[in-house]
Amino acid sequence: MKKREFLKKSSLLMASSAILPSTVFSCKEKEIKTVLKTKDRIRTAHIGVGNMGAEDLRDISSHAKVDVVALCDVDSNMLKAAAENHPKARLYADYRKMLSDMADEIDAVIVSTPDHTHAPASMMAMNLNKPVYCQKPLTHHVSEARQMRKLAKEKNLVTQMGIQVHSFYDYKLATLLIQSGIIGKVHTVHAWSPKNWGYDGPIPEGSDPVPENLNWNLWLGTSAERSYKSEIYHPGNWRKLMDYGCGTLGDMGVHIFDTPYNALALDVPKTITNNCRQPNGYGFPENNVVTYEFPGTEYTTKEFKWVWYDGPGAPNKIHEDLILPNSVIDKENTSAGEPSIKDKMSLETKVADEGKLPEQGAMFVGEKGRLLLPHFMQLPKKIVDGQYVDISEEIAVLEKANNMGKPIRDYALEGPKHYHQFIDACLDKDEVTAPFSYAARLTETILLGVIAGRFPNQTLHWNNETAKFDEDEANQYLNSPYREF
């Protein structure tokens, strides 16, 4: 099934007037938004409630004005666990049925599924005029990102992508510092994560019995038919695989790209090159070095380059821009074995020893120095001529001018802010900072790097106006057919 056909069907499920009350469709968009804004509570429906979905559910429901009315998951064990804390919520395995049954009882939808279901579920909810909070990366395909951005704008809906550190103190501070010109115009950004959401091994053969708790057909959703294999797809390793995830770049890259992308007011890139192994058609490369070239902005030089490093040991070769004061080059900078799924999902970064790069982070390189931004919950550091420079006075000025307060080094306290911002925006008490108008462009940038992994060491040229590559063979990966399920 073509995406357009699926989206047309999900838009409305209008063929049967028995499914949804006619009032849902007779309202003008302005009226729908006004009705939502006059509510004093928000009724939420959650699609995907295990792993990251469980965290999303916890933090959304911690808002004092939220009532969780529906929970949906293809894994009955995860659904049961989530329902223990929300006994009044109605339970579903199929998000399509949930949205059809409860369209007039839901005010906002939270999408926390594997990446390949982000767009189908979100588009259906938005076509029903529901504000949507969707986990990162916003979509699995570039075409979906553009469609979601367009629909959110047309319907004037409150939307937010799940990049919760976007609302943290250190990232706001780094944005203000860069835009204040603390290191002059930026010509290069290096960003890295040693996490490994790639798979260089053989394609699994055969099949295993599907567990009783899992609806495999619904888990596959719009993706192609495939036999179930234990511990390969569900519950966590789907990020490694091309049909369902977006690799390390799509997981941690979204978080770590976010602040430089926002601070430098970037749009989508002009060229993309991925230095990685040859594609195997199944799993993403375990190590990638992706180089983007962007059009310049008011905060960058005319020529601006971005380099991303991921996988075990990343960055494997330390560029001179990444050498720190009192630098200690860790030649044994490789992962000791495969980390757990929980560790790979975690955003936390260990505080690096003196002279060592943080495990994950970004380095801005400008005309007047460098700015190191560890990921996360650590202050940015300015480096000039190989020495750290005290910027406490500049930070104090920005804190006061922007009413920032002081950093809170407690993820349990900071984490819910991004979620609560979305709910407050639904109540017309705040504005979101990662709406789909922004998130779709960031996601598109990430996904172009993912596609470049199918063409190792070849520079791809992206046309922002036509939304196509100059290299026609790459355009097939901007989209994919939707399976009927």
Side-chain angles (χ1 to χ4, degrees), residues 51-80:
N51 294 325
M52 193 64 211
E55 295 187 27
D56 291 347
L57 174 60
R58 178 197 65 206
D59 287 342
I60 286 284
S61 64
S62 69
H63 193 290
K65 297 292 185 178
V66 163
D67 296 315
V68 176
V69 297
L71 302 172
C72 178
D73 203 289
V74 299
D75 186 322
S76 61
N77 289 344
M78 292 181 174
L79 191 61
K80 180 180 178 181

Side-chain angles (χ1 to χ4, degrees), residues 109 224 412 483:
V109 176
R483 180 181 73 100

Side-chain angles (χ1 to χ4, degrees), residues 294-482:
F294 287 85
T297 74
E298 64 177 300
Y299 305 111
T300 74
T301 54
K302 185 176 180 180
E303 301 297 325
F304 172 75
K305 181 174 70 174
W306 188 314
V307 187
W308 165 260
Y309 315 80
D310 71 35
N316 286 303
K317 295 181 179 179
I318 303 298
H319 190 279
E320 62 181 1
D321 290 343
L322 298 177
I323 296 176
L324 303 182
N326 305 314
S327 183
V328 177
I329 305 298
D330 187 357
K331 295 182 180 179
E332 301 299 325
N333 183 21
T334 56
S335 297
E338 178 77 354
S340 68
I341 290 173
K342 181 178 180 181
D343 286 341
K344 287 199 290 184
M345 288 178 59
S346 172
L347 296 177
E348 294 185 23
T349 296
K350 300 171 185 175
V351 176
D353 294 334
E354 179 70 22
K356 285 189 177 183
L357 282 174
E359 184 181 34
Q360 303 181 99
M363 180 77 81
F364 299 80
V365 187
E367 298 167 321
K368 296 189 275 184
R370 293 177 286 161
L371 191 74
L372 172 66
L373 179 61
H375 183 80
F376 70 107
M377 284 192 168
Q378 297 173 51
L379 286 173
K381 297 179 179 180
K382 182 179 179 180
I383 304 168
V384 178
D385 295 330
Q387 300 296 322
Y388 288 118
V389 176
D390 183 5
I391 56 173
S392 56
E393 289 186 9
E394 290 93 330
I395 290 174
V397 169
L398 290 172
E399 281 181 340
K400 183 176 181 180
N402 294 277
N403 195 28
M404 293 179 65
K406 296 296 180 182
I408 300 172
R409 300 299 184 214
D410 185 339
Y411 183 77
L413 294 176
E414 285 278 270
K417 287 183 177 180
H418 195 65
Y419 300 91
H420 289 191
Q421 183 186 79
F422 169 72
I423 296 300
D424 287 338
C426 290
L427 293 165
D428 199 26
K429 297 179 185 294
D430 200 352
E431 293 184 3
V432 292
T433 53
F436 291 177
S437 57
Y438 168 79
R441 292 184 293 110
L442 173 58
T443 297
E444 180 173 320
T445 297
I446 294 291
L447 295 179
L448 294 176
V450 174
I451 292 173
R454 296 177 182 265
F455 303 90
N457 308 313
Q458 177 182 345
T459 297
L460 301 180
H461 298 80
W462 181 244
N463 188 318
N464 189 20
E465 295 301 317
T466 64
K468 289 185 178 181
F469 290 105
D470 292 350
E471 297 74 22
D472 190 56
E473 64 272 21
N475 290 323
Q476 62 184 303
Y477 301 113
L478 298 173
N479 203 341
S480 69
Y482 276 3

